[in-house]
Amino acid sequence: CFCRDKIAVIDVEGVIVNARKSGLLGDGENPVSLFRERLDSAANDSHVKAVVLRINPPGAAVTASDIMYQDVITFRRETHKPVVACMMDVAASGGYYLAMGCDQIYAHSTTVTGSIGVIMSMYNATGLTRILGISSEPIKSGPNKDIGNPLRPMTEEERMILQGIVNEFYDQFVKVVARGRNIPEERIRPLADGRVYTGAEAKRLGLVDQIGTFDDALNTAMQIAGLKDAAIVAYDRGAAA
């Protein structure tokens, strides 16, 4: 293509965490840092007129998702370049959270999305420790310093503390969805019980804008940017390829 205008495609795959991902050949990339690099590349390239996020993460950490969401919001505000999300196989929980920062959201009819909620996985191994003859005797500075210790039952005070954290993060998630979808919070909360939805269900409920393919998302990005034609570029270590 001889046109100078570009649409940048940024893939978001794998679990969204703010840490390097370990692999067989050593430490991998930090997905949060890599995402920022790629957005910066799109921001600094005057020929890039819009961005399409291809979202396909199976899970995410709360803070990592929020950082990436805020990065998209900042990118749109500072560059005035549209960002369109295209949900692939799975864009639930943190992946859905991230999509809330975009101008338009596409999902395949077979996409699994939603899962609006927060979970803190805790374990009680006291049955096993009794069998093994193991007990926990921590030396601690305060009664809640070993909160979440799986070698003893959780106290009611500890449960209230952890539930309060989950509730706070959940309220933030609901606010992000309400703002991103322009839907009142009271309409979001019944949908935000942690369940997942197909793309078709999400469209019917107003959780995404359109059912379509990656090509549809590209065409919409071009339309919003006012382009008739554009080169499609992807990023590798922040450089256009």
Side-chain angles (χ1 to χ4, degrees):
C1 177
F2 295 101
C3 54
R4 293 173 59 82
D5 293 329
K6 304 174 186 175
I7 302 293
V9 177
I10 300 178
D11 286 310
V12 181
E13 297 183 306
V15 178
I16 299 175
V17 291
N18 192 14
R20 288 182 178 272
K21 294 181 179 179
S22 298
L24 294 175
L25 301 179
D27 288 340
E29 300 283 0
N30 180 318
V32 175
S33 298
L34 187 58
F35 185 72
R36 173 76 64 85
E37 276 188 39
R38 290 170 171 170
L39 277 182
D40 286 346
S41 294
N44 294 330
D45 187 342
S46 61
H47 297 301
V48 170
K49 304 302 183 183
V51 171
V52 174
L53 299 186
R54 196 157 42 188
I55 303 176
N56 196 34
V62 173
T63 301
S65 302
D66 188 60
I67 291 172
M68 292 170 68
Y69 162 80
Q70 296 293 344
D71 282 347
V72 173
I73 295 294
T74 300
F75 174 88
R76 288 174 55 204
R77 182 179 66 247
E78 294 183 351
T79 69
H80 305 290
K81 299 178 182 182
V83 182
V84 176
C86 181
M87 297 178 171
M88 306 305 286
D89 293 293
V90 179
S93 191
Y96 185 71
Y97 192 116
L98 170 59
M100 293 301 99
C102 300
D103 292 277
Q104 285 277 310
I105 303 173
Y106 274 80
H108 290 76
S109 61
T110 53
T111 295
V112 174
T113 189
S115 189
I116 304 168
V118 180
I119 183 171
M120 184 181 293
S121 297
M122 309 299 294
Y123 302 94
N124 184 344
T126 54
L128 179 61
T129 58
R130 281 195 298 269
I131 294 173
L132 298 176
I134 299 172
S135 62
S136 176
E137 297 181 355
I139 308 300
K140 53 188 180 179
S141 59
N144 294 309
K145 184 58 181 174
D146 69 332
I147 191 169
N149 185 344
L151 301 183
R152 62 169 178 77
M154 184 181 296
T155 68
E156 284 305 310
E157 181 182 10
E158 290 171 334
R159 186 175 298 279
M160 288 177 61
I161 292 171
L162 297 178
Q163 186 65 58
I165 293 172
V166 168
N167 291 348
E168 182 178 337
F169 290 166
Y170 171 73
D171 287 342
Q172 178 178 326
F173 199 161
V174 170
K175 291 180 187 300
V176 164
V177 175
R179 184 163 55 247
R181 301 307 304 150
N182 195 27
I183 297 174
E185 284 186 40
E186 57 268 25
R187 283 185 52 201
I188 294 295
R189 287 188 182 273
L191 307 176
D193 61 359
R195 77 182 69 185
V196 294
Y197 301 97
T198 66
E201 289 177 313
K203 170 64 171 66
R204 178 173 56 81
L205 295 169
L207 297 176
V208 303
D209 292 297
Q210 299 291 342
I211 297 298
T213 65
F214 174 65
D215 286 341
D216 293 325
L218 284 174
N219 290 333
T220 293
M222 290 204 314
Q223 290 171 10
I224 297 174
L227 303 178
K228 293 183 178 180
D229 195 11
I232 310 304
V233 298
Y235 287 105
D236 183 17
R237 293 301 307 158

